[in-house]
């Protein structure tokens, strides 16, 4: 079974800091999602990537398929970035093969 | 576009009661999903529908049924609710296998 491990589980940062959240998985995948869950509970898809790197504003996601590892970086963090960040991997050909990590809870202090 | 609309937002049931969670998307997506989220665990797939007219079990299907009524709507039914089904439920949709997921706002369900 594919396991998805995220680290750290919890992260507290000061406003302006550079943040890295890591995701590791155990078997081959076709793609990886990064999601953001707001304190109110809503979930938003940030990135879907299968190779290389993607950037959107202050967010950068990278993936190394050979090392089975992905990172989400936040530059110049802001209190509004406080949320739970979830990694999810797509493996196999079935629509149902999406395994989620438990999430990383980020708190950015002003 | 409303995206993915999920109702209700909150529900309290007594053990043994039944209810249906409704989900509708207006993005012409083929695939729709029902997940549950429990404290300390990742989102877990209950059922999914790869296209209109098809449904398949996910990781935790016991105690649930689904209906893909048409391309827009995918409902989740609890026939006889149990306390173990207390959870937050999310509906999601996407066009193809390897595409971004769009989530509903969630349903917080408590079974007493």
């Amino acid at each position: 079974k594919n396991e998805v491990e995220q680290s750290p589980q919890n992260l507290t940062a000061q406003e302006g800091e550079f943040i890295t959240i890591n995701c590791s998985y155990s078997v081959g995948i076709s793609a990886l999602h990064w999601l953001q869950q707001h304190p109110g509970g809503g979930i938003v898809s940030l990135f879907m990537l299968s190779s290389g790197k993607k950037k959107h504003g202050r967010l950068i996601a990278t993936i190394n398929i050979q090392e089975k590892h992905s990172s989400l970086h936040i530059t110049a963090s802001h209190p509004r970035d406080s949320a739970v960040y979830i990694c999810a991997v797509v493996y196999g050909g079935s629509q149902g093969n999406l395994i989620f990590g438990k999430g990383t809870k980020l708190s950015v202090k002003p | 576009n409303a995206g993915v609309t999920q109702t209700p937002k909150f529900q309290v049931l007594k053990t043994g009661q039944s209810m249906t969670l409704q989900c509708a998307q207006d993005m012409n997506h083929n695939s729709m999903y029902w997940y549950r989220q429990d404290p300390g665990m990742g989102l877990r797939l209950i059922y999914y529908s790869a296209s209109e007219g098809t449904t398949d079990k996910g990781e935790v299907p016991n105690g649930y049924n689904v209906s893909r009524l048409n391309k827009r709507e995918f409902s989740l039914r609890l026939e006889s609710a149990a306390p173990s089904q207390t959870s937050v439920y999310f509906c999601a949709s996407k066009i193809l296998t390897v595409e971004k997921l769009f989530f509903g706002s969630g349903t917080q369900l408590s079974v007493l």
Side-chain angles (χ1 to χ4, degrees):
Chain A
K1 181 181 174 183
N2 194 16
E3 298 291 340
V4 179
E5 298 290 337
Q6 287 187 238
S7 63
Q9 283 187 295
N10 294 283
L11 181 57
T12 299
Q14 288 298 126
E15 185 174 355
E17 285 185 1
F18 180 85
I19 297 204
T20 296
I21 298 170
N22 297 298
C23 176
S24 298
Y25 48 92
S26 55
V27 298
I29 66 169
S30 55
L32 182 144
H33 296 262
W34 281 103
L35 310 169
Q36 181 191 53
Q37 185 167 25
H38 297 288
I43 300 175
V44 174
S45 181
L46 297 174
F47 296 104
M48 192 281 298
L49 65 167
S50 53
S51 65
K53 176 174 153 177
K54 287 192 175 180
K55 184 175 188 290
H56 186 260
R58 294 179 296 106
L59 301 177
I60 304 166
T62 64
I63 188 168
N64 186 318
I65 294 290
Q66 287 73 28
E67 293 186 6
K68 297 185 171 56
H69 181 268
S70 176
S71 294
L72 177 68
H73 305 286
I74 305 175
T75 61
S77 60
H78 189 277
R80 65 175 174 267
D81 297 325
S82 299
V84 175
Y85 292 85
I86 301 169
C87 166
V89 300
V90 183
Y91 70 100
S94 167
Q95 291 275 350
N97 288 349
L98 190 65
I99 302 295
F100 293 81
K102 295 179 182 178
T104 294
K105 186 173 181 180
L106 172 65
S107 179
V108 182
K109 306 294 185 187
Chain B
N1 285 349
V4 180
T5 303
Q6 189 179 332
T7 57
K9 289 192 185 301
F10 301 96
Q11 184 71 50
V12 179
L13 294 177
K14 294 181 180 178
T15 297
Q17 286 185 317
S18 63
M19 77 160 296
T20 299
L21 281 66
Q22 306 286 353
C23 177
Q25 51 86 15
D26 60 3
M27 297 173 282
N28 203 35
H29 285 174
N30 295 315
S31 304
M32 299 185 74
Y33 305 80
W34 277 106
Y35 294 98
R36 61 178 287 173
Q37 186 178 43
D38 300 294
M41 303 186 75
L43 286 153
R44 291 183 294 168
L45 181 65
I46 305 171
Y47 270 93
Y48 67 100
S49 171
S51 60
E52 184 180 353
T54 68
T55 61
D56 285 286
K57 294 179 181 180
E59 183 184 353
V60 287
N62 291 346
Y64 306 95
N65 285 301
V66 290
S67 295
R68 183 73 182 268
L69 304 169
N70 46 55
K71 193 169 186 180
R72 290 186 66 248
E73 298 171 290
F74 188 40
S75 61
L76 178 72
R77 183 159 178 85
L78 286 71
E79 290 291 352
S80 178
S84 60
Q85 294 177 305
T86 293
S87 188
V88 180
Y89 292 84
F90 287 95
C91 176
S93 71
K94 60 181 176 179
I95 294 178
L96 297 172
T97 303
V98 188
E99 289 291 341
K100 273 191 176 185
L101 274 168
F102 291 82
F103 286 84
S105 56
T107 296
Q108 193 167 316
L109 175 67
S110 295
V111 183
L112 306 177

